[in-house]
């Protein structure tokens, strides 16, 4: 039996942007300045390289609180690029050149990223993947630790379904609630419930508009505080009384171009769309640095910035 040869892992990119917002109810935007972008770039460029013989630093690499950044290049006053490394460990495997690699070994994979300071003060981030490997969450931690301040920082991810949000017709919202033990302690079935909000008829413009304005912002955000914000929003709008930890899941069901689509407000919503990069690879099986960085910047301008402006 002939086994098909595995093709090269495909390179792709996800796009995100960092935005600073006030902590009040209105959430006003405070644009990042060119001086703050310069401060970020300087911190990245001057970050010391990790000591891989230091056990404490190795543990930080494992859990992602220390992210190696190198090959930093300042393209111009608003664009920069570089590489970041993600760590993999925890299981042994056999390498044809080195033999058995132990579960304690720390394996580093390198990926590209690009930064862009927009005219309205957002910091766009493009994170390269290779097959299933890569990681924006790791990169975000590595980058944002170099900001002058992380107060009010929010992270948003670009998704194809959010880009098409203006075409949707919301028809149902399903919210899973955990009662936090406030109901009958002896009856486990009473501790969970599902609240369903539905469109009342074929045309319910008030419901559709409210669902778009209230729930879609939660779908597009990967801010870890959004679950608490969702619970507060539900209580404030008298939809239900829910503590922050009560909201377990929320799904917006809508018609998109005649087909039913589900928007996950919690959970799957944190995953950004990965866009394919048609770029050459080097001898190590990685995308060519300069060509790929240029392709990511080009894609950012042609497909992303206008979509989230």
């Amino acid at each position: 039996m002939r086994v098909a040869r595995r093709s090269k892992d495909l390179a792709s990119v996800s796009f995100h942007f960092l935005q600073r917002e006030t902590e009040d109810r209105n959430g006003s935007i405070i644009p990042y300045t060119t001086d703050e972008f310069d401060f970020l770039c300087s911190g990245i460029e001057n970050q010391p390289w990790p000591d891989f013989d230091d056990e404490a630093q190795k543990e930080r690499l494992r859990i992602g609180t220390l992210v190696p950044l190198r090959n930093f290049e300042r393209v111009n006053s608003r664009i920069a690029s570089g590489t970041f490394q993600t760590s993999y460990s925890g299981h042994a495997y056999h390498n044809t050149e080195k033999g058995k690699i132990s579960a304690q070994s720390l394996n580093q994979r390198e990926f590209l990223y690009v930064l862009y300071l927009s005219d309205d003060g957002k910091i766009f981030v493009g994170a390269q993947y290779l097959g299933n490997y890569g990681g924006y969450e790791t990169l975000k931690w590595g980058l944002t630790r170099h900001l002058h301040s992380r107060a009010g920082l929010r992270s948003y991810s670009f998704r194809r379904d959010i880009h098409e949000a203006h075409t949707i017709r919301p028809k149902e919202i399903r919210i899973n609630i955990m009662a936090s033990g406030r109901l009958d302690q002896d009856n486990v079935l009473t501790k969970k419930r599902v609240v369903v909000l539905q469109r009342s008829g074929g045309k319910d413009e008030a419901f559709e508009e409210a669902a778009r304005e209230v729930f879609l912002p939660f779908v597009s955000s990967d801010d870890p505080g959004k679950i608490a914000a969702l619970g507060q929003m539900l209580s404030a709008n008298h939809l239900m009384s829910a503590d922050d930890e009560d909201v377990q899941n929320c799904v917006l069901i809508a018609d998109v171009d005649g087909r039913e689509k589900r928007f996950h407000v919690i959970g799957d919503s944190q995953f950004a769309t990965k866009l394919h990069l048609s770029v050459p690879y080097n001898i190590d099986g990685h995308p060519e640095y300069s060509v790929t960085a240029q392709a990511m910047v080009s894609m950012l301008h042609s497909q992303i910035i206008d979509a989230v402006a």
Side-chain angles (χ1 to χ4, degrees):
M1 179 179 176
R2 184 177 180 181
V3 179
R5 184 178 179 183
R6 184 183 178 187
S7 60
K8 194 186 302 292
D9 287 331
L10 293 178
S12 60
V13 57
S14 65
F15 287 102
H16 318 260
F17 66 88
L18 304 174
Q19 183 168 276
R20 181 171 50 189
E21 302 174 6
T22 59
E23 300 294 341
D24 57 33
R25 185 181 297 273
N26 295 326
S28 302
I29 297 172
I30 307 174
Y32 285 106
T33 65
T34 52
D35 286 343
E36 289 174 313
F37 189 67
D38 289 342
F39 186 90
L40 168 64
C41 291
S42 177
I44 296 170
E45 189 171 21
N46 294 304
Q47 175 179 304
W49 190 244
D51 179 359
F52 294 109
D53 293 324
D54 185 302
E55 289 300 322
Q57 291 196 36
K58 286 169 66 175
E59 183 59 26
R60 290 181 60 202
L61 288 166
R62 284 190 180 91
I63 64 178
T65 58
L66 178 59
V67 183
L69 303 171
R70 65 175 183 175
N71 299 315
F72 185 80
E73 180 180 349
R74 191 70 184 267
V75 179
N76 56 41
S77 62
R78 290 184 176 272
I79 300 175
S81 64
T83 62
F84 68 103
Q85 291 187 352
T86 58
S87 303
Y88 301 88
S89 63
H91 67 274
Y93 60 92
H94 185 83
N95 181 275
T96 55
E97 293 184 4
K98 302 296 183 181
K100 181 179 179 179
I101 307 298
S102 74
Q104 288 71 43
S105 68
L106 194 61
N107 306 293
Q108 300 291 116
R109 292 176 182 263
E110 193 162 76
F111 306 91
L112 290 166
Y113 70 88
V114 296
L115 301 176
Y116 171 70
L117 176 66
S118 64
D119 292 337
D120 59 355
K122 297 183 181 72
I123 299 177
F124 283 85
V125 182
Q128 178 243 318
Y129 287 76
L130 196 59
N132 292 323
Y133 292 100
Y136 169 65
E137 288 302 315
T138 298
L139 172 62
K140 181 176 69 173
W141 176 267
L143 296 175
T144 58
R145 64 186 299 268
H146 294 294
L147 288 170
H148 187 267
S149 170
R150 292 195 293 273
L153 175 67
R154 298 290 183 269
S155 173
Y156 298 88
S157 296
F158 173 81
R159 294 181 62 199
R160 285 288 191 187
D161 50 10
I162 302 306
H163 180 43
E164 300 165 354
H166 64 281
T167 68
I168 78 166
R169 292 191 60 216
K171 64 179 185 180
E172 183 174 296
I173 298 166
R174 289 180 171 268
I175 307 167
N176 289 70
I177 299 295
M178 174 70 74
S180 298
R182 290 176 300 176
L183 299 177
D184 184 357
Q185 295 288 341
D186 296 326
N187 187 354
V188 68
L189 295 178
T190 65
K191 293 184 180 180
K192 294 184 179 181
R193 54 185 168 142
V194 178
V195 177
V196 180
L197 310 175
Q198 291 182 317
R199 194 166 60 197
S200 62
K203 289 187 176 181
D204 189 342
E205 295 180 359
F207 174 85
E208 293 179 13
E209 182 178 357
R212 271 193 294 264
E213 291 183 356
V214 173
F215 282 89
L216 284 181
F218 287 103
V219 179
S220 60
S221 169
D222 61 359
D223 174 19
K226 72 177 179 178
I227 298 178
L230 179 58
Q232 294 167 8
M233 182 275 294
L234 294 172
S235 298
N237 287 274
H238 306 291
L239 295 176
M240 67 190 68
S241 177
D243 292 340
D244 295 350
E245 64 271 19
D246 286 349
V247 182
Q248 300 293 303
N249 193 20
C250 180
V251 177
L252 172 64
I253 303 172
D255 293 322
V256 182
D257 296 329
R259 300 179 62 182
E260 184 175 284
K261 192 175 185 70
R262 292 172 176 258
F263 297 82
H264 293 266
V265 179
I266 301 171
D268 292 344
S269 62
Q270 66 181 313
F271 298 109
T273 298
K274 295 179 185 177
L275 306 177
H276 173 62
L277 288 167
S278 181
V279 293
Y281 296 78
N282 61 27
I283 193 171
D284 292 324
H286 290 276
E288 289 284 357
Y289 181 93
S290 59
V291 175
T292 305
Q294 292 173 12
M296 290 165 65
V297 171
S298 177
M299 189 176 291
L300 171 65
H301 282 282
S302 64
Q303 299 192 41
I304 307 301
I305 292 178
D306 289 343
V308 298

